Amino acid sequence: MERQDRGRELPAEFTGVIAQIGSGWDDVDADTAYVWVRLKSGREVKALIRDVEHTR
């Protein structure tokens, strides 16, 4: 199941530190769970876990 706002989103590259993985709710799997990444500016970006590529 896709999120309602998914169609409005464009792919974007970002770099930061993982702040939170998942929602903290039971029964949420990787297809619908988010990862929050803290950017250098201090702001956070949210992305679907399945769409994120972790690199070093």
Side-chain angles (χ1 to χ4, degrees):
M1 175 171 71
E2 296 291 331
R3 299 287 189 196
Q4 290 178 350
D5 61 349
R6 187 84 170 124
R8 296 184 311 203
E9 296 176 2
L10 296 174
E13 187 173 311
F14 55 86
T15 301
V17 177
I18 295 173
Q20 179 179 330
I21 298 175
S23 65
W25 298 96
D26 290 338
D27 300 323
V28 175
D29 60 27
D31 277 349
T32 57
Y34 288 104
V35 59
W36 282 261
V37 176
R38 187 166 298 112
L39 306 175
K40 188 176 181 180
S41 67
R43 296 186 65 167
E44 290 185 359
V45 64
K46 174 177 80 170
L48 284 170
I49 290 174
R50 68 179 182 189
D51 292 344
V52 174
E53 179 181 342
H54 180 257
T55 60
R56 292 196 179 261

